[in-house]
Amino acid sequence: MVVQEKLEVYARQVDRRLEELLPPAAQMPAPLHEAMRYSCLAPGKRLRPALCLAAAEAVGGREADALDAACAIEMVHCFSLIHDDLPAIDNDDLRRGIPTCHVRYGEATAILAGDALFALAFDVLANARASAERRIRAIAALTRAAGSDGLVGGETTDILCEGQEVDPPTLRFIHTKKTGALISASCVIGAIMGGGAPNQMASLGKYGESVGLAFQIADDLLNETSTSEALGKSAGSDKLRGKATYPALFGIEASRRAALAMVEKAREALTGFHSEFLDGIAEYSVERMR
């Protein structure tokens, strides 16, 4: 309950700030701005921004130090979801329990809304209330996590491996980059904005990578075993597309064990920190698969 309640508190803070940072829906070009707001303000856990805020607190900073950075991270995450859902990639009709951006606004507007959110994220981060040195380091961390050695690289490999047999290192690369990179960067950026030391940033980065992998394995399992109504997005789609997933390669039970091992690894990385929320999120990452 502590984790869920704190997630909701963080989400409300982030949503209020996103409302301010996103262009008004009526501002020209209105369809673009409406689509940006539709996707970015859709109900969600706001896990990545929550981790950013909690990491800032964990190193002795304040939530306010990292709020704009947290919003920038959520914009990048939202950009990736809009593009992932497109017919050319995952062709999903549902996201967070509502029609996907391209279903609601058309493919062209959805592509451009994702592009605009990606650009806005770096504008927000560049103008955050922090020293120039912290902002530069945060921008560098977010660009690495989003690019070809992070989210986009993992997604590309995921697409190229559809219908193919993959080995464990390739599967881990896909999940670590596609999901883990941005979650890890959320923790690192929070530590940067909160004034953390290099060793604290490194530990929180390792924590985030392990939590990200646990979340992705749990998502793989839920896609295989849950329903579209429960997930708020299409269930069973991974098997249909021949996606590289942990259940496909290792089976259900071995995948559960792998996710639990990542939880323990995440907790080990928190040695020296006193954050009930971060510790709880490690467990929360796999609760959904039980």
Side-chain angles (χ1 to χ4, degrees):
M1 284 301 295
V2 171
V3 170
Q4 189 59 49
E5 289 170 5
K6 191 66 173 174
L7 262 178
E8 290 171 4
V9 170
Y10 283 141
R12 286 194 293 271
Q13 289 178 276
V14 170
D15 285 346
R16 282 195 297 268
R17 186 60 176 145
L18 284 171
E19 283 272 7
E20 296 170 350
L21 292 169
L22 289 163
Q27 181 178 313
M28 191 174 180
L32 174 67
H33 295 143
E34 186 180 330
M36 291 168 66
R37 295 180 70 88
Y38 172 82
S39 293
C40 203
L41 295 174
K45 295 184 292 291
R46 308 293 186 242
L47 172 68
R48 290 154 188 81
L51 288 171
C52 180
L53 296 175
E57 289 183 298
V59 300
R62 301 171 304 152
E63 293 173 13
D65 297 329
L67 183 56
D68 278 8
C71 291
I73 291 165
E74 183 66 11
M75 289 174 187
V76 169
H77 177 54
C78 187
F79 134 79
S80 74
L81 298 182
I82 292 172
H83 283 193
D84 284 356
D85 289 338
L86 289 165
I89 301 182
D90 286 347
N91 195 24
D92 278 325
D93 294 335
L94 278 179
R95 171 68 67 179
R96 293 173 171 172
I98 61 175
T100 49
C101 191
H102 71 273
V103 169
R104 178 73 180 266
Y105 294 99
E107 289 182 45
T109 298
I111 291 169
L112 294 168
D115 293 344
L117 282 168
F118 190 77
L120 180 59
F122 289 96
D123 181 41
V124 167
L125 196 48
N127 289 286
R129 293 179 182 175
S131 68
E133 187 260 346
R134 288 185 189 180
R135 282 180 283 148
I136 289 168
R137 288 164 68 194
I139 289 169
L142 188 54
T143 52
R144 282 194 300 270
S148 62
D149 193 38
L151 191 159
V152 173
E155 182 65 31
T156 300
T157 308
D158 188 28
I159 293 165
L160 294 174
C161 288
E162 284 186 8
Q164 309 292 320
E165 289 189 13
V166 299
D167 56 21
T170 302
L171 179 62
R172 187 179 177 88
F173 175 89
I174 292 169
H175 282 17
T176 300
K177 301 300 183 181
K178 185 175 78 168
T179 304
L182 191 56
I183 289 180
S184 179
S186 299
C187 298
V188 171
I189 292 168
I192 290 169
M193 302 304 275
N199 65 311
Q200 292 178 310
M201 295 174 203
S203 294
L204 288 169
K206 290 175 183 176
Y207 161 84
E209 185 174 305
S210 297
V211 164
L213 192 51
F215 263 102
Q216 186 56 59
I217 297 171
D219 277 351
D220 285 356
L221 284 163
L222 288 170
N223 191 276
E224 186 116 344
T225 61
S226 190
T227 65
S228 298
E229 291 74 22
L231 292 178
K233 57 184 178 181
S234 301
S237 55
D238 289 346
K239 183 179 286 187
L240 190 64
R241 298 190 189 101
K243 288 274 191 181
T245 68
Y246 266 72
L249 191 59
F250 298 111
I252 299 292
E253 290 310 313
S255 297
R256 290 184 191 277
R257 291 194 294 273
L260 292 172
M262 287 300 106
V263 170
E264 291 311 307
K265 192 172 180 181
R267 282 181 162 153
E268 288 172 10
L270 287 178
T271 301
F273 293 98
H274 303 284
S275 173
E276 187 178 359
F277 177 77
L278 290 177
D279 184 71
I281 281 291
E283 176 64 25
Y284 174 80
S285 67
V286 296
E287 277 182 359
R288 305 164 298 147
M289 72 184 191
R290 290 175 171 164

